[in-house]
Amino acid sequence: MAAAAPYKWSGNIVDQLDINPRIIMSAKRAGYVSILNILRASQSELQQKLGLAAADVEQLISAVAAYALPRQLSGWEIDNSNTGKLLHITSGCRLLDDFLGGGIPVRGITEVAGESGSGKTQLALQLSLHVQLSPSSGGLGKGVAYICTESQFPAARLQQLIKHMQRNHPKGPKSYSDNIFIHHVPDMDSLVDCVRYQLPHLVPSRQVGLVVIDSVAAAFRAEDGTDLNKTTALQTLGYRLHQLASSHKIVVLAINQVTATMGKQDLYGLTASITPALGLSWSNLVTTRLMLTRSSSFVNARQILPKDEEDKGSGWDIVRFNNSLECNEEDAKKAVEYNVRVLEVVFCPWLERKSCSFVVTEKGIENIVINTEDLCVSSV
């Protein structure tokens, strides 16, 4: 045992570092494989000898330093690091924020699951804009890393939402789109590598406060590998996302698809026709699971002018028409019908299982107050 300590400092340790393999190969070729060799060298020397960029050398030095002297937290530090108050970013909808205890938490992994067209990407886009607001306005004042796995990024819808954000928050960022960093990944391995090697560098260097994966299931469902390989990759993905959320105090939003359950009970003993994809392996990695669904109900709304300057951002006022006699011809022409969506908290450490309703308009997510007589149920 006595000989193990000297070897830790002079032996080959680069293969044990969790950094980009390209950096490890460069260090091995140049003979910089031990703690002493690397930490004794200057940054300029390492750049010259290894042929790497300054950012890569910084990543190597940080990883070696952490390996040599891993950070240890005392019980006092752990107790005082948690103030007992959760930090959230606003969803842009007051009803949803109140329903979720303040918004989307800056803690762990928040999963949003649902069928196609239920509003998952809409919520992700809305969060991508509101996270850029100042903390006093419900944001973090930071950018977004948006990882697409199954389709093109919805740029047209984003621009539509930006117009309303600029009207509602004139003191917000000059350019919302400049702070959204989009990356397309085609498969499971690319997604895991992105989270392991690219995000740890992007998040601090570009001041990222929200990481969105749209969606997790698409990257894994397309793979032909064994279940063991997928499970290992899922665990690595979840572990790295938790690390990012904890070390950089960011929001991690993972969009997930659903699968049919054939009337069987889900993981929580409840019978449902659909359940989030990726099974128990992924469920155990998720901190908060939210389920979005489209109901068969609709509400009518009409666009109105703001009553005063402070209300200029409201834009839409939900107005019900139980029958055509309750509105004049002009109101009827302005009436727009919206499908009622339902957001359900499936599990969360600090929230009970519950649900609330909302609609999606051209402005984004809007709250509604539903009475039974106000609903128009589709015959489909």
Side-chain angles (χ1 to χ4, degrees):
M1 295 296 292
Y7 178 79
K8 175 182 177 179
W9 297 92
S10 60
N12 184 349
I13 56 93
V14 293
D15 288 324
Q16 302 179 50
L17 303 178
D18 189 17
I19 57 177
N20 195 311
R22 173 178 55 82
I23 301 176
I24 295 176
M25 291 300 298
S26 298
K28 292 170 73 173
R29 280 197 301 267
Y32 287 81
V33 296
S34 70
I35 295 175
L36 290 177
N37 284 346
I38 296 172
L39 295 185
R40 281 178 174 175
S42 66
Q43 183 168 340
S44 59
E45 178 185 345
L46 290 175
Q47 283 183 245
Q48 181 181 3
K49 297 289 186 180
L50 276 60
L52 295 173
D56 293 332
V57 171
E58 289 178 6
Q59 186 178 350
L60 174 63
I61 293 174
S62 299
V64 173
Y67 180 88
L69 296 172
R71 170 74 168 134
Q72 301 292 332
L73 287 177
S74 66
W76 174 262
E77 289 174 312
I78 294 174
D79 181 64
N80 284 275
S81 65
N82 184 7
T83 61
K85 182 179 179 181
L86 285 173
L87 181 62
H88 301 80
I89 62 171
T90 178
S91 65
C93 175
R94 184 179 300 175
L95 175 68
L96 258 60
D97 288 347
D98 293 342
F99 176 77
L100 295 172
I104 304 300
V106 187
R107 175 183 292 187
I109 300 174
T110 299
E111 178 199 67
V112 177
E115 297 175 293
S116 176
S118 58
K120 305 185 297 296
T121 298
Q122 168 65 50
L123 178 59
L125 292 178
Q126 200 149 312
L127 290 171
S128 297
L129 298 178
H130 283 84
V131 73
Q132 300 182 46
L133 300 177
S134 64
S136 61
S137 298
L140 297 176
K142 296 183 177 181
V144 183
Y146 203 109
I147 304 172
C148 299
T149 65
E150 57 179 321
S151 61
Q152 293 296 318
F153 181 79
R157 176 56 171 158
L158 177 69
Q159 292 303 318
Q160 187 181 35
L161 293 174
I162 287 176
K163 292 180 181 179
H164 293 284
M165 285 292 294
Q166 291 172 333
R167 186 182 305 119
N168 297 345
H169 301 278
K171 295 182 179 180
K174 292 182 179 179
S175 175
Y176 286 92
S177 55
D178 287 349
N179 296 320
I180 301 178
F181 308 101
I182 304 166
H183 184 48
H184 294 268
V185 296
D187 50 44
M188 175 184 74
D189 292 333
S190 299
L191 175 60
V192 175
D193 287 345
C194 176
V195 172
R196 291 183 67 183
Y197 305 125
Q198 297 176 13
L199 282 184
H201 175 65
L202 178 70
V203 168
S205 64
R206 295 303 183 94
Q207 289 296 297
V208 168
L210 168 66
V211 172
V212 178
I213 302 179
D214 188 3
S215 68
V216 178
F220 285 84
R221 282 179 163 178
E223 291 296 318
D224 296 327
T226 64
D227 290 339
L228 179 60
N229 291 339
K230 291 183 180 181
T231 299
T232 302
L234 264 179
Q235 291 173 343
T236 301
L237 178 69
Y239 172 67
R240 294 301 174 191
L241 289 174
H242 275 289
Q243 273 192 326
L244 279 172
S246 176
S247 58
H248 297 286
K249 300 297 184 291
I250 64 173
V251 177
V252 175
L253 186 74
I255 294 177
N256 195 6
Q257 300 171 354
V258 294
T259 184
T261 60
M262 303 297 289
K264 297 179 180 178
Q265 288 187 336
D266 61 16
L267 298 173
Y268 320 102
L270 299 172
T271 302
S273 59
I274 57 173
T275 189
L278 301 178
L280 187 60
S281 298
W282 173 249
S283 295
N284 289 334
L285 297 168
V286 172
T287 307
T288 299
R289 168 167 282 175
L290 307 176
M291 180 75 82
L292 290 179
T293 55
R294 291 179 68 128
S295 73
S296 58
S297 303
F298 294 83
V299 293
N300 288 326
R302 61 185 173 90
Q303 193 171 16
I304 61 171
L305 294 174
K307 295 180 180 179
D308 51 53
E309 290 297 318
E310 292 182 356
D311 194 39
K312 215 162 194 175
S314 62
W316 290 90
D317 183 33
I318 300 301
V319 179
R320 286 97 182 161
F321 302 107
N322 292 331
N323 57 65
S324 58
L325 297 177
E326 294 186 13
C327 60
N328 57 37
E329 185 177 353
E330 183 180 355
D331 286 335
K333 290 180 180 179
K334 292 180 180 179
V336 182
E337 195 174 58
Y338 293 112
N339 185 212
V340 176
R341 322 290 178 97
V342 178
L343 172 68
E344 180 182 11
V345 176
V346 180
F347 62 77
C348 177
W350 51 87
L351 295 174
E352 62 180 340
R353 181 157 187 157
K354 54 183 180 178
S355 61
C356 72
S357 301
F358 64 94
V359 293
V360 176
T361 71
E362 66 171 12
K363 278 184 57 186
I365 293 176
E366 299 273 23
N367 58 302
I368 55 173
V369 179
I370 297 180
N371 296 320
T372 305
E373 64 271 14
D374 295 332
L375 294 179
C376 173
V377 180
S378 173
S379 60
V380 179

